[in-house]
Amino acid sequence: MSKSHRAKDAELVLDHGSSSDSSLERAGDRAAPAPQLPGRRQRLHAYMAEDISTRNTDYLLLLVAFGTGVIDAFSFTQAKVFIANMTGNVVFLGLSVAQVSDPFISAKHSVTALCSFWAGAFVTGQISHRLGPTRRAWVVSAFLIQAILTLIVACLLYGKVVVMLEEKDSVLGLLFVLAFCFGGQGVIARGLKVPELPTLVITSAMIDLFNDKNIFKLNNRPRNRRVAFILLLFAGAIVGGVTITHVNDATVVLIAAIIKFLATGFVLLFDSAANANARLQAATAAASRP
């Protein structure tokens, strides 16, 4: 065989080898694609599935405490019952059972508010146990549902579909919806683990405030929380009362609905518990370095 033939055969072998290598490289590229970043939907799902940090939920709970004052101002002036303060309703019911004759006492209103509040606390609590009380998706959903239901009540009042001063079953229906929402609010507040801000029960906050052995200490966050809670609930009652006197009852309920929508937005902005803990650990480690 001539040298020229052997050279051509060698070139063919090299060409075949290089083409085989290229084919293998292309096959390898197809077999192992580059990792892709998660899409927007996956990131949103992961974000909503996170547990929110409870380190800075004070402003959220103080906001909804203000809403408690607003809604109780509405319900007491318009229906002689409390939507959020169940202590008063138990007293009213007891007076009714004792057959005390008083125009302020309505057994039907008290029973409706109590049963609905219990139902809201039960349903919200059982779901919280299963989904996690600090799961972002659950806390957002809970506040959003409460906001929508409260807004529906406001719309019914604006449209005169229901008139609060009339003794009709439709009034009981509105009381049921509102008390259900605020029973759920109490459960959500407890799940956020700030015991000084229950958002509903002001009596225990007053007891804990004046029972605090460090009440006069300059830096006392629990005391500051309790004071802010009491003042904001009081302010909410003032706003509710002024609005009823100078505007109408529907606007009071609308304010309560807006507050719950704002609470929903706040929860969406909260940092995750994992990120907050990571930053705390990093800060602790940095502080401990010589």
Side-chain angles (χ1 to χ4, degrees), residues 192-214:
L192 296 180
K193 303 173 184 176
V194 186
E196 300 86 8
L197 301 174
T199 76
L200 300 177
V201 184
I202 201 170
T203 308
S204 60
M206 289 180 174
I207 292 172
D208 292 338
L209 172 63
F210 291 103
N211 188 44
D212 187 355
K213 66 179 181 179
N214 297 316

Side-chain angles (χ1 to χ4, degrees), residues 116-130:
S116 177
F117 189 91
W118 296 339
F122 175 79
V123 172
T124 306
Q126 298 308 309
I127 297 175
S128 292
H129 294 322
R130 286 158 177 77

Side-chain angles (χ1 to χ4, degrees), residues 159-187:
K160 304 297 183 182
V161 177
V162 180
V163 178
M164 289 301 298
L165 298 179
E166 296 179 353
E167 285 292 332
K168 293 184 177 179
D169 291 341
S170 56
V171 172
L172 297 179
L174 292 195
L175 294 176
F176 188 93
V177 171
L178 291 174
F180 185 93
C181 292
F182 279 82
Q185 175 185 300
V187 171

Side-chain angles (χ1 to χ4, degrees), residues 58-280:
D58 297 24
Y59 297 117
L60 167 70
L61 296 176
L62 289 172
L63 174 66
V64 295
F66 178 83
T68 297
V70 170
I71 203 66
D72 267 347
F74 158 79
S75 63
F76 184 75
T77 57
Q78 302 301 298
K80 303 303 180 287
V81 72
F82 292 105
I83 290 298
N85 179 16
M86 291 299 113
T87 304
N89 292 332
V90 171
V91 173
F92 288 158
L93 184 59
L95 294 174
S96 179
V97 171
Q99 297 182 347
V100 174
S101 178
D102 193 302
F104 282 106
I105 299 172
S106 172
K108 288 193 300 183
H109 290 180
S110 297
V111 169
T112 300
L114 282 166
C115 292
S116 177
F117 189 91
W118 296 339
F122 175 79
V123 172
T124 306
Q126 298 308 309
I127 297 175
S128 292
H129 294 322
R130 286 158 177 77
L131 299 183
T134 58
R135 184 68 54 88
R136 190 189 308 276
W138 163 236
V139 180
V140 167
S141 299
F143 274 127
L144 183 60
I145 291 170
Q146 294 168 23
I148 292 171
L149 290 175
T150 307
L151 180 61
I152 291 172
V153 171
C155 291
L156 292 174
L157 292 172
Y158 271 119
K160 304 297 183 182
V161 177
V162 180
V163 178
M164 289 301 298
L165 298 179
E166 296 179 353
E167 285 292 332
K168 293 184 177 179
D169 291 341
S170 56
V171 172
L172 297 179
L174 292 195
L175 294 176
F176 188 93
V177 171
L178 291 174
F180 185 93
C181 292
F182 279 82
Q185 175 185 300
V187 171
I188 294 297
R190 282 185 174 246
L192 296 180
K193 303 173 184 176
V194 186
E196 300 86 8
L197 301 174
T199 76
L200 300 177
V201 184
I202 201 170
T203 308
S204 60
M206 289 180 174
I207 292 172
D208 292 338
L209 172 63
F210 291 103
N211 188 44
D212 187 355
K213 66 179 181 179
N214 297 316
I215 188 172
F216 297 112
K217 188 177 179 181
L218 184 61
N219 295 318
N220 187 338
R221 192 174 186 184
R223 177 206 57 203
N224 297 342
R225 284 170 169 169
R226 295 182 185 113
V227 170
F229 168 45
I230 294 167
L231 292 177
L232 278 169
L233 198 149
F234 176 65
I238 293 174
V239 170
V242 170
T243 306
I244 288 172
T245 303
H246 297 286
V247 189
N248 54 45
D249 56 355
T251 303
V252 181
V253 181
L254 178 61
I255 293 171
I258 291 172
I259 288 171
K260 287 190 176 291
F261 277 116
L262 290 174
T264 304
F266 275 151
V267 178
L268 286 172
L269 298 176
F270 280 163
D271 197 5
S272 69
N275 289 342
N277 290 334
R279 281 199 299 273
L280 180 62

